[in-house]
Protein backbone atom coordinates (compact mmCIF):
# COMPACT_ATOMS: atom_id res chain seq x y z
CA UNK A 1 0.00 0.00 0.00
CA UNK A 2 1.50 3.32 -1.07
CA UNK A 3 1.65 5.96 1.64
CA UNK A 4 1.58 9.51 0.38
CA UNK A 5 4.19 11.87 1.78
CA UNK A 6 3.24 15.17 3.44
CA UNK A 7 4.68 16.99 0.42
CA UNK A 8 2.49 15.12 -2.06
CA UNK A 9 -0.58 15.69 0.10
CA UNK A 10 0.27 19.38 0.27
CA UNK A 11 0.73 19.45 -3.50
CA UNK A 12 -2.79 18.08 -3.92
CA UNK A 13 -4.13 20.82 -1.69
CA UNK A 14 -2.38 23.48 -3.76
CA UNK A 15 -4.24 22.38 -6.90
CA UNK A 16 -7.50 23.57 -5.34
CA UNK A 17 -6.14 27.10 -4.79
CA UNK A 18 -6.54 29.90 -7.31
CA UNK A 19 -3.48 31.73 -8.63
CA UNK A 20 -4.08 34.79 -6.46
CA UNK A 21 -4.49 32.59 -3.38
CA UNK A 22 -1.23 30.84 -4.16
CA UNK A 23 0.53 34.18 -4.48
CA UNK A 24 -0.85 35.25 -1.09
CA UNK A 25 0.33 32.03 0.57
CA UNK A 26 3.73 32.39 -1.11
CA UNK A 27 4.08 35.93 0.24
CA UNK A 28 3.12 35.18 3.84
CA UNK A 29 4.46 31.66 4.35
CA UNK A 30 7.55 31.50 6.58
CA UNK A 31 10.14 30.09 4.18
CA UNK A 32 12.60 29.32 7.01
CA UNK A 33 10.07 27.14 8.82
CA UNK A 34 8.53 25.54 5.71
CA UNK A 35 11.19 25.59 2.97
CA UNK A 36 9.77 22.56 1.13
CA UNK A 37 6.28 24.02 0.98
CA UNK A 38 7.66 27.32 -0.21
CA UNK A 39 9.35 25.57 -3.14
CA UNK A 40 6.17 23.61 -3.97
CA UNK A 41 4.10 26.79 -4.08
CA UNK A 42 6.64 28.51 -6.34
CA UNK A 43 6.60 25.50 -8.68
CA UNK A 44 2.79 25.46 -8.77
CA UNK A 45 2.65 29.17 -9.58
CA UNK A 46 5.18 28.70 -12.38
CA UNK A 47 3.19 25.74 -13.74
CA UNK A 48 -0.02 27.78 -13.80
CA UNK A 49 1.63 30.66 -15.63
CA UNK A 50 3.15 28.32 -18.23
CA UNK A 51 -0.24 26.70 -18.81
CA UNK A 52 -1.80 30.12 -19.23
CA UNK A 53 0.84 31.15 -21.77
CA UNK A 54 0.38 27.85 -23.63
CA UNK A 55 -3.42 28.30 -23.81
CA UNK A 56 -4.17 31.66 -25.48
CA UNK A 57 -7.84 30.78 -25.82
CA UNK A 58 -8.12 30.28 -22.07
CA UNK A 59 -6.20 33.47 -21.37
CA UNK A 60 -8.49 35.46 -23.65
CA UNK A 61 -11.55 33.97 -21.99
CA UNK A 62 -10.25 34.82 -18.53
CA UNK A 63 -8.93 38.30 -19.16
CA UNK A 64 -11.06 39.48 -22.04
CA UNK A 65 -14.43 40.12 -20.41
CA UNK A 66 -15.61 43.32 -22.05
CA UNK A 67 -19.36 42.87 -21.90
CA UNK A 68 -21.07 45.91 -20.46
CA UNK A 69 -23.62 45.26 -17.70
CA UNK A 70 -27.27 46.16 -17.90
CA UNK A 71 -29.00 48.91 -15.95
CA UNK A 72 -30.64 46.70 -13.33
CA UNK A 73 -27.47 44.75 -12.68
CA UNK A 74 -25.63 47.95 -11.85
CA UNK A 75 -28.50 49.22 -9.71
CA UNK A 76 -28.57 45.94 -7.79
CA UNK A 77 -24.85 46.11 -7.05
CA UNK A 78 -25.24 49.69 -5.78
CA UNK A 79 -28.12 48.60 -3.55
CA UNK A 80 -25.99 45.84 -2.01
CA UNK A 81 -23.11 48.26 -1.38
CA UNK A 82 -25.32 50.96 0.14
CA UNK A 83 -27.01 48.38 2.39
CA UNK A 84 -23.67 47.11 3.69
CA UNK A 85 -22.27 50.62 4.10
CA UNK A 86 -25.31 51.74 6.07
CA UNK A 87 -25.39 48.58 8.18
CA UNK A 88 -21.80 48.86 9.44
CA UNK A 89 -22.17 52.37 11.01
CA UNK A 90 -25.57 51.39 12.41
CA UNK A 91 -24.09 48.36 14.18
CA UNK A 92 -21.26 50.52 15.59
CA UNK A 93 -23.83 53.08 16.73
CA UNK A 94 -25.89 50.38 18.46
CA UNK A 95 -22.79 48.97 20.19
CA UNK A 96 -21.81 52.43 21.46
CA UNK A 97 -25.38 53.08 22.57
CA UNK A 98 -25.65 49.79 24.45
CA UNK A 99 -22.20 50.23 26.05
CA UNK A 100 -22.13 53.89 27.02
CA UNK A 101 -25.83 54.85 26.92
CA UNK A 102 -27.72 51.73 28.05
CA UNK A 103 -30.75 53.74 29.11
CA UNK A 104 -31.13 55.49 25.77
CA UNK A 105 -32.44 52.39 24.01
CA UNK A 106 -35.16 51.79 26.61
CA UNK A 107 -36.09 55.35 27.56
CA UNK A 108 -39.52 56.28 26.16
CA UNK A 109 -39.83 59.26 23.88
CA UNK A 110 -41.66 62.23 25.48
CA UNK A 111 -45.30 62.03 24.61
CA UNK A 112 -45.04 58.45 23.38
CA UNK A 113 -46.72 55.44 24.90
CA UNK A 114 -45.02 52.68 26.85
CA UNK A 115 -42.40 50.54 25.09
CA UNK A 116 -43.79 47.80 22.91
CA UNK A 117 -46.45 49.85 21.15
CA UNK A 118 -48.43 50.69 24.30
CA UNK A 119 -49.04 47.07 25.32
CA UNK A 120 -46.32 46.94 27.93
CA UNK A 121 -44.52 44.02 26.31
CA UNK A 122 -40.73 44.03 26.31
CA UNK A 123 -38.42 46.73 27.71
CA UNK A 124 -36.68 47.65 24.46
CA UNK A 125 -37.74 48.09 20.83
CA UNK A 126 -36.54 45.83 18.05
CA UNK A 127 -33.76 46.74 15.64
CA UNK A 128 -36.36 47.37 12.96
CA UNK A 129 -38.04 49.77 15.39
CA UNK A 130 -34.73 51.61 15.77
CA UNK A 131 -34.35 51.86 11.99
CA UNK A 132 -37.85 53.25 11.49
CA UNK A 133 -37.32 55.68 14.38
CA UNK A 134 -34.13 56.99 12.77
CA UNK A 135 -35.94 57.30 9.43
CA UNK A 136 -38.77 59.27 11.03
CA UNK A 137 -36.24 61.53 12.76
CA UNK A 138 -34.42 62.28 9.51
CA UNK A 139 -37.70 62.86 7.67
CA UNK A 140 -38.90 65.27 10.39
CA UNK A 141 -35.55 67.06 10.33
CA UNK A 142 -35.71 67.61 6.55
CA UNK A 143 -39.30 68.88 6.72
CA UNK A 144 -38.45 71.30 9.54
CA UNK A 145 -35.31 72.43 7.71
CA UNK A 146 -37.26 73.45 4.61
CA UNK A 147 -39.83 75.08 6.87
CA UNK A 148 -37.06 77.30 8.26
CA UNK A 149 -37.45 76.45 11.93
CA UNK A 150 -34.59 78.10 13.90
CA UNK A 151 -33.72 75.08 16.07
CA UNK A 152 -33.48 72.89 12.97
CA UNK A 153 -31.14 75.35 11.28
CA UNK A 154 -28.83 75.10 14.29
CA UNK A 155 -28.92 71.30 14.10
CA UNK A 156 -28.05 71.47 10.41
CA UNK A 157 -24.40 72.22 11.21
CA UNK A 158 -24.09 68.97 13.19
CA UNK A 159 -26.06 67.00 10.63
CA UNK A 160 -23.94 68.41 7.80
CA UNK A 161 -20.75 67.40 9.59
CA UNK A 162 -22.02 63.85 10.05
CA UNK A 163 -23.02 63.74 6.38
CA UNK A 164 -19.49 64.75 5.35
CA UNK A 165 -17.98 62.07 7.59
CA UNK A 166 -20.29 59.46 6.07
CA UNK A 167 -19.40 60.66 2.56
CA UNK A 168 -15.68 60.35 3.35
CA UNK A 169 -16.32 56.86 4.74
CA UNK A 170 -18.09 55.78 1.54
CA UNK A 171 -15.37 57.38 -0.61
CA UNK A 172 -12.64 55.36 1.14
CA UNK A 173 -14.78 52.21 0.82
CA UNK A 174 -15.15 52.55 -2.95
CA UNK A 175 -11.67 53.87 -3.74
CA UNK A 176 -10.02 51.03 -1.81
CA UNK A 177 -12.11 48.39 -3.57
CA UNK A 178 -11.75 49.87 -7.05
CA UNK A 179 -7.98 50.41 -6.90
CA UNK A 180 -7.28 47.05 -5.22
CA UNK A 181 -9.44 44.66 -7.24
CA UNK A 182 -11.74 46.81 -9.39
CA UNK A 183 -14.79 45.76 -7.36
CA UNK A 184 -16.71 46.51 -4.20
CA UNK A 185 -18.60 43.73 -2.34
CA UNK A 186 -21.79 44.58 -4.20
CA UNK A 187 -20.01 44.55 -7.56
CA UNK A 188 -18.36 41.20 -6.78
CA UNK A 189 -21.73 39.72 -5.84
CA UNK A 190 -23.25 40.83 -9.14
CA UNK A 191 -20.19 39.99 -11.25
CA UNK A 192 -19.06 43.53 -12.11
CA UNK A 193 -15.63 45.13 -12.28
CA UNK A 194 -14.47 48.71 -12.77
CA UNK A 195 -11.64 49.25 -15.25
CA UNK A 196 -9.77 52.12 -16.78
CA UNK A 197 -10.68 52.77 -20.40
CA UNK A 198 -7.03 52.20 -21.30
CA UNK A 199 -7.12 48.85 -19.47
CA UNK A 200 -6.30 47.61 -16.00
CA UNK A 201 -7.48 48.79 -12.62
CA UNK A 202 -8.39 52.47 -12.20
CA UNK A 203 -5.99 54.80 -10.45
CA UNK A 204 -6.71 56.51 -7.13
CA UNK A 205 -7.38 59.77 -8.99
CA UNK A 206 -9.84 58.11 -11.36
CA UNK A 207 -11.60 56.34 -8.47
CA UNK A 208 -12.01 59.47 -6.36
CA UNK A 209 -13.12 61.50 -9.37
CA UNK A 210 -15.65 58.85 -10.42
CA UNK A 211 -17.18 58.55 -6.95
CA UNK A 212 -17.56 62.31 -6.44
CA UNK A 213 -18.81 62.94 -9.98
CA UNK A 214 -21.35 60.16 -9.54
CA UNK A 215 -23.08 62.09 -6.75
CA UNK A 216 -22.57 65.64 -8.06
CA UNK A 217 -23.75 64.90 -11.60
CA UNK A 218 -26.69 62.85 -10.33
CA UNK A 219 -27.96 65.87 -8.35
CA UNK A 220 -27.17 68.46 -11.01
CA UNK A 221 -28.75 66.47 -13.86
CA UNK A 222 -31.64 65.14 -11.73
CA UNK A 223 -30.59 61.54 -12.32
CA UNK A 224 -29.93 61.82 -16.07
CA UNK A 225 -26.20 61.16 -15.57
CA UNK A 226 -26.94 57.71 -14.22
CA UNK A 227 -29.45 56.94 -16.97
CA UNK A 228 -26.96 57.97 -19.64
CA UNK A 229 -25.85 54.33 -19.97
CA UNK A 230 -29.24 53.42 -21.44
CA UNK A 231 -28.51 55.16 -24.76
CA UNK A 232 -24.70 55.29 -24.71
CA UNK A 233 -23.06 52.89 -27.18
CA UNK A 234 -20.55 51.68 -24.59
CA UNK A 235 -23.19 51.70 -21.82
CA UNK A 236 -21.14 54.16 -19.77
CA UNK A 237 -22.66 56.69 -17.41
CA UNK A 238 -21.55 60.32 -17.50
CA UNK A 239 -19.34 59.94 -14.44
CA UNK A 240 -17.57 57.02 -16.16
CA UNK A 241 -16.98 59.11 -19.28
CA UNK A 242 -15.50 62.01 -17.34
CA UNK A 243 -13.38 59.78 -15.09
CA UNK A 244 -12.11 57.61 -17.97
CA UNK A 245 -13.52 54.36 -16.55
CA UNK A 246 -15.90 51.62 -17.60
CA UNK A 247 -17.82 48.82 -15.88
CA UNK A 248 -17.60 45.32 -17.36
CA UNK A 249 -19.22 41.98 -16.59
CA UNK A 250 -16.98 39.23 -15.21
CA UNK A 251 -17.71 35.65 -14.31
CA UNK A 252 -18.22 34.97 -10.63
CA UNK A 253 -16.32 32.12 -8.97
CA UNK A 254 -19.32 29.80 -9.01
CA UNK A 255 -19.88 30.54 -12.71
CA UNK A 256 -16.36 29.48 -13.72
CA UNK A 257 -15.05 26.06 -14.62
CA UNK A 258 -12.29 24.68 -12.43
CA UNK A 259 -9.76 25.32 -15.22
CA UNK A 260 -10.69 29.01 -15.27
CA UNK A 261 -10.74 29.48 -11.50
CA UNK A 262 -7.15 28.27 -11.20
CA UNK A 263 -6.00 31.50 -12.84
CA UNK A 264 -8.04 33.96 -10.72
Amino acid sequence: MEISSPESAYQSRLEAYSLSELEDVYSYLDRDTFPERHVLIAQEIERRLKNLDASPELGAEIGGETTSPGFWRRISSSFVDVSIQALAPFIVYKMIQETFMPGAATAPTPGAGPPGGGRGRGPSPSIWGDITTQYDSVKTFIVNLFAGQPETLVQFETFGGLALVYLAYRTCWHVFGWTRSGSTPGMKELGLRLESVSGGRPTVKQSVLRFLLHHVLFVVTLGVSGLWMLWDRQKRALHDKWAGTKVVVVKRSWEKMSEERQFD
Side-chain angles (χ1 to χ4, degrees):
M1 179 176 180
E2 183 180 355
I3 301 177
S4 61
S5 63
E7 289 76 12
S8 61
Y10 190 73
Q11 179 69 41
S12 300
R13 287 174 53 190
L14 293 180
E15 295 176 359
Y17 283 59
S18 66
L19 184 57
S20 60
E21 291 170 340
L22 287 174
E23 292 173 342
D24 289 340
V25 175
Y26 182 81
S27 300
Y28 293 104
L29 184 66
D30 189 342
R31 65 186 65 190
D32 295 329
T33 307
F34 305 100
E36 297 84 2
R37 294 186 177 185
H38 205 268
V39 172
L40 289 175
I41 295 173
Q43 292 175 347
E44 181 64 20
I45 292 176
E46 184 178 1
R47 185 184 69 82
R48 299 278 183 92
L49 294 177
K50 287 183 177 178
N51 290 342
L52 186 60
D53 292 336
S55 304
E57 299 84 2
L58 180 60
E61 187 175 359
I62 294 170
E65 304 91 340
T66 57
T67 305
S68 300
F71 176 77
W72 291 111
R73 193 165 187 170
R74 294 180 65 159
I75 289 296
S76 299
S77 70
S78 299
F79 176 78
V80 173
D81 278 329
V82 170
S83 300
I84 298 175
Q85 293 163 7
L87 182 62
F90 182 77
I91 292 176
V92 173
Y93 164 76
K94 288 298 297 180
M95 293 175 62
I96 295 176
Q97 186 184 56
E98 293 292 338
T99 304
F100 300 101
M101 300 177 292
T106 58
T109 305
R119 300 180 183 179
R121 295 189 304 177
S124 61
S126 62
I127 293 180
W128 177 249
D130 289 336
I131 295 175
T132 54
T133 299
Q134 295 297 327
Y135 170 77
D136 291 336
S137 299
V138 173
K139 182 175 68 174
T140 303
F141 171 81
I142 295 176
V143 172
N144 293 338
L145 179 64
F146 281 97
Q149 294 190 6
E151 62 274 11
T152 307
L153 295 176
V154 174
Q155 295 174 356
F156 180 71
E157 296 182 3
T158 302
F159 182 80
L162 294 175
L164 289 177
V165 170
Y166 182 68
L167 180 63
Y169 155 73
R170 293 195 65 226
T171 302
C172 294
W173 173 291
H174 283 83
V175 171
F176 176 78
W178 290 339
T179 55
R180 184 175 183 272
S181 63
S183 300
T184 57
M187 295 177 70
K188 287 182 179 178
E189 185 66 25
L190 273 296
L192 305 179
R193 183 175 65 213
L194 183 69
E195 296 181 350
S196 173
V197 172
S198 58
R201 287 174 294 183
T203 63
V204 174
K205 180 180 178 180
Q206 285 179 313
S207 301
V208 174
L209 184 62
R210 182 184 191 272
F211 181 81
L212 296 179
L213 284 176
H214 184 189
H215 294 78
V216 173
L217 291 177
F218 188 86
V219 174
V220 173
T221 63
L222 300 179
V224 175
S225 63
L227 298 175
W228 194 269
M229 69 184 77
L230 296 178
W231 53 79
D232 184 77
R233 288 184 177 180
Q234 298 176 323
K235 295 187 181 298
R236 296 167 64 199
L238 280 182
H239 50 270
D240 281 313
K241 284 184 169 295
W242 287 22
T245 57
K246 62 180 179 179
V247 180
V248 298
V249 176
V250 295
K251 287 184 178 180
R252 288 161 281 192
S253 295
W254 55 270
E255 294 176 322
K256 296 180 179 180
M257 298 182 296
S258 58
E259 292 81 2
E260 294 178 82
R261 188 182 181 278
Q262 286 186 350
F263 301 98
D264 283 351

